[in-house]
Amino acid sequence: MDIRYSCNQRDFKRYTTEETRNEFLIENLYVPNTVTAVYSHVDRMVTLGCMPVDEVVSIDKGIDIWANFGTHYFLERREVGIFNIGGAGSITCDGVKYALGYKDCLYITQGTKEVLFASDDAKNPAKFYMVSAPAHRAYETKLIKIKDAAKRPLGALETSNKRVINQFIHPDVLPTCQLSMGMTVLEPGSVWNTMPAHTHERRMEVYMYFEVPENNVVFHMMGEGNETRHIVMQNEQAVISPSWSIHAGAGTSNYTFIWAMGGENQAFDDMDNIATTDLR
């Protein structure tokens, strides 16, 4: 497991491009029959990827649970949200099997002991993207299909940011301890996300960009609003955003991204907005 320690905004101002990428960028999430895991000390969030090809893969494969978490199994004191961004697949939770198609989501509650991933077709494997947060009680494991997500249209083509926010793991859809997750889909001709920019001092966030066309990139903006930096991101890469950092981006094409938040509250609109003309 890759462990990332907290970085403060004062030191961040002196980071080189390489240091910024090493600290916040998450690459190579989907390795055949493997679980990739990055533990961030920012709100103790864990970002994971799993691409089962011709094996059934456990969520704890390659992770020393006791050494990393001090628990007997991964979800003993955690909850997790999982999206499938690949071919059809399934997740089995303590013997109950859930089928996930493209862009479907599964919330798994705290206390689930066994989580197994499988693909329906080895030639078109599932790609499971996951974010896990600490949890204090059990709720209900629930499958949320893309059609059942709460839809929130925003933006306009005139400002190059027409998009739909799909809220999956959200208080309007189901109860959780602290984890919130959703998927934002930009329409063709739109490239900006989360602009005007904002921070939320009470929550951190992780973005994972996908459906980025070949030979295209996303310029992910981060840092304090008065002294921003950027990370150039490619398809199926994720980025950690501390509470003090903006998290916005512009692509060389339209794209889709999954956002995950954890922290003090689950109020989606609890934001500290920054006027676009105040950005530096």
Side-chain angles (χ1 to χ4, degrees):
M1 177 181 287
D2 184 6
I3 298 177
R4 311 283 179 92
Y5 291 91
S6 300
C7 165
N8 68 67
Q9 58 269 53
R10 296 177 299 278
D11 292 343
F12 175 66
K13 295 177 181 180
R14 299 191 293 270
Y15 274 29
T16 64
T17 297
E18 183 178 5
E19 288 171 327
T20 300
R21 293 175 68 86
N22 289 340
E23 185 74 28
F24 301 104
L25 181 64
I26 300 174
E27 302 177 275
N28 303 316
L29 279 164
Y30 308 106
V31 179
N33 300 323
T34 301
V35 174
T36 299
V38 176
Y39 185 110
S40 172
H41 277 269
V42 180
D43 287 307
R44 298 191 176 276
M45 301 286 274
V46 183
T47 304
L48 310 98
C50 179
M51 185 174 68
V53 178
D54 50 9
E55 296 180 13
V56 175
V57 180
S58 173
I59 196 171
D60 59 1
K61 183 177 182 180
I63 301 174
D64 189 329
I65 297 297
W66 183 257
N68 291 125
F69 301 101
T71 57
H72 297 92
Y73 53 96
F74 182 67
L75 294 178
E76 183 175 335
R77 295 179 60 85
R78 287 186 160 271
E79 57 188 355
V80 66
I82 306 172
F83 281 84
N84 181 14
I85 65 163
S90 64
I91 304 174
T92 303
C93 306
D94 287 346
V96 180
K97 186 175 181 179
Y98 299 88
L100 276 76
Y102 188 59
K103 294 184 177 180
D104 289 342
C105 173
L106 181 67
Y107 168 77
I108 306 178
T109 185
Q110 175 262 336
T112 305
K113 291 184 177 180
E114 184 181 62
V115 179
L116 303 174
F117 302 104
S119 294
D120 291 2
D121 182 358
K123 295 180 180 179
N124 183 27
K127 292 181 179 179
F128 295 109
Y129 172 72
M130 302 167 259
V131 178
S132 172
H136 62 278
R137 60 156 290 180
Y139 282 101
E140 179 184 359
T141 295
K142 184 174 182 179
L143 176 65
I144 309 108
K145 296 286 189 177
I146 177 65
K147 66 181 179 62
D148 298 321
K151 305 292 194 292
R152 188 169 176 174
L154 287 176
L157 284 175
E158 291 78 7
T159 48
S160 303
N161 67 349
K162 188 174 184 181
R163 62 201 189 275
V164 175
I165 297 176
N166 296 273
Q167 296 170 329
F168 286 80
I169 300 175
H170 185 275
D172 290 343
V173 181
L174 78 167
T176 65
C177 289
Q178 66 162 315
L179 185 65
S180 297
M181 294 183 74
M183 178 188 300
T184 300
V185 181
L186 275 70
E187 294 197 5
S190 289
V191 296
W192 280 103
N193 74 69
T194 323
M195 187 62 68
H198 63 264
T199 60
H200 22 74
E201 185 62 32
R202 294 148 293 280
R203 297 190 306 275
M204 68 86 72
E205 194 154 5
V206 180
Y207 275 11
M208 194 280 292
Y209 292 96
F210 70 110
E211 293 189 326
V212 180
E214 187 177 3
N215 299 321
N216 284 267
V217 297
V218 176
F219 287 76
H220 179 82
M221 311 297 176
M222 62 178 305
E224 292 182 289
N226 62 358
E227 194 166 341
T228 63
R229 302 288 187 272
H230 71 266
I231 297 179
V232 179
M233 301 187 61
Q234 298 184 25
N235 191 42
E236 299 181 354
Q237 294 181 340
V239 60
I240 299 167
S241 176
S243 60
W244 47 262
S245 175
I246 67 168
H247 34 281
T252 56
S253 173
N254 63 308
Y255 51 88
T256 301
F257 68 98
I258 295 169
W259 45 267
M261 293 186 285
E264 297 292 343
N265 66 30
Q266 294 177 304
F268 186 79
D269 293 318
D270 181 12
M271 305 171 185
D272 302 310
N273 292 302
I274 302 170
T276 304
T277 52
D278 289 338
L279 292 172
R280 298 291 183 268

